[in-house]
Amino acid sequence: MTNSPVGGTPALIVIDAQQGSSDRSDQMHSGSGSVPGGREAILERINEVVSHARAADVPIVWGKELHRPDFADYGAEFESSEPEHGLYGTAAEHLDDRLAVDEDDMEPAEYVIAKRRYNFFHRTDLEHLLATYNVDTVVLVGFMTNICVHYTAHGAHERDYAFRVVEEGTGAPSDERHELGLRCIRYLQPRGVRSLEAVTESFDAYEGNSVVQRVKETGRVYPDTGPVTPGSET
C-alpha cells in the first residue's frame, strides 16, 4: 500500500452518475457535496477527474444501478428508505448527458457495468476488469456519498483494494449525509478521502497503465489470441 492519492496502479470508477429529473427534491436528488453549485458542480468535477485519468492511461469503469421494471431483482431495497430508482426503461438507464462520455462510442479501456446493489463489486464483473489491468487502488467519484460510494469503498476494502474517494467529486441528498458518508469512508481507510487537486496532480504524474496503453495502440488487451500450440510457451 502507498500514501499516494491514486495508489500504485489505479482505476477510476464513476458510480451511478445517471440521468434523472432535474427538479427532484427528494432524497435521490444528490445535489449536496463539498463544493457549492449542486449536482452540476459535482458533475463538472467528475469530468475533470475523468479527463486527467484518460490522459494518464488509467482504466475507467462507469457504473449504473439498474433494476427490472417489475422489481424482480430489487431484493432488500424494498426495505430501504429510498423511493423507487434506477429502472430500465426510464432516464436512469443512461448516464447523465453532462458527463464527458459517449455510451455508444466508448473510449479504449473504458467500460459500462450495470449493478443491482449499492456495492459495485456485488455480482458484477468489476473484479475481472480490475485484475486485467493489475489494479491495486480504485479511485471513486459519483453518487451517493453515503450509500453507493460508501458501499463500494467498503466492497473494495473487503477485497483488499485501497480506495481513494475524490471528495469534491461525490454528492449526496444533503450536506449531513454527504459528511456522514465521508466520515464512514475515512474510518475504513484514513487515507481513503482525497482532494480533487491531489488526485488530478497524481494522475498527471502517473506513468500510465501498460495494459491500457496496449489497448489504445492495438484495440485489444492481448493483440495475439487463439489456441496455444506446443512449444509456444518458450
Side-chain angles (χ1 to χ4, degrees):
M1 298 296 181
T2 172
N3 193 44
S4 165
V6 298
T9 310
L12 175 63
I13 301 180
V14 184
I15 301 171
D16 297 357
Q18 294 154 257
Q19 291 184 20
S21 174
S22 60
D23 60 356
R24 289 183 71 170
S25 59
D26 60 35
Q27 61 262 49
M28 299 299 290
H29 183 58
S30 304
S32 295
S34 295
V35 292
R39 184 179 175 89
E40 181 78 34
I42 297 167
L43 289 169
E44 288 177 4
R45 270 62 174 193
I46 291 173
N47 280 336
E48 186 174 349
V49 177
V50 168
S51 175
H52 285 264
R54 280 188 183 136
D57 293 331
V58 170
I60 302 174
V61 184
W62 302 81
K64 309 177 197 176
E65 183 177 338
L66 289 171
H67 299 284
R68 293 176 173 83
D70 66 355
F71 299 95
D73 57 5
Y74 217 62
E77 289 197 37
F78 283 121
E79 300 290 337
S80 77
S81 60
E82 298 174 350
E84 64 182 54
H85 59 278
L87 300 183
Y88 282 104
T90 69
E93 194 169 349
H94 306 285
L95 294 169
D96 196 298
D97 56 13
R98 291 167 289 186
L99 291 170
V101 60
D102 183 349
E103 292 185 73
D104 296 321
D105 186 20
M106 297 293 292
E107 297 286 335
E110 296 189 26
Y111 309 91
V112 177
I113 294 179
K115 63 187 181 70
R116 299 289 189 265
R117 296 293 181 266
Y118 302 145
N119 175 6
F120 205 156
F121 288 88
H122 181 76
R123 296 183 180 179
T124 70
D125 62 350
L126 177 60
E127 286 189 270
H128 294 290
L129 293 175
L130 299 183
T132 294
Y133 290 97
N134 302 308
V135 169
D136 63 15
T137 304
V138 290
V139 178
L140 308 179
V141 294
F143 305 95
M144 295 187 253
T145 317
N146 60 314
I147 303 179
C148 292
V149 176
H150 172 211
Y151 277 74
T152 299
H154 192 280
H157 183 78
E158 287 185 331
R159 291 162 176 81
D160 297 328
Y161 293 96
F163 62 77
R164 303 289 190 260
V165 173
V166 183
E167 181 173 354
E168 300 94 328
T170 63
S174 67
D175 290 343
E176 179 185 20
R177 293 182 185 183
H178 175 68
E179 292 301 326
L180 284 172
L182 293 177
R183 189 184 305 172
C184 291
I185 289 166
R186 287 190 180 99
Y187 179 83
L188 284 175
Q189 292 186 14
R191 296 180 291 192
V193 178
R194 295 301 180 98
S195 70
L196 175 75
E197 182 180 16
V199 168
T200 55
E201 287 182 352
S202 292
F203 277 152
D204 292 345
Y206 181 58
E207 294 183 356
N209 186 301
S210 61
V211 183
V212 171
Q213 292 163 352
R214 188 158 62 239
V215 170
K216 288 184 175 182
E217 291 170 2
T218 70
R220 307 177 76 169
V221 170
Y222 295 107
D224 298 320
T225 62
V228 176
T229 56
S232 62
E233 69 276 5
T234 60

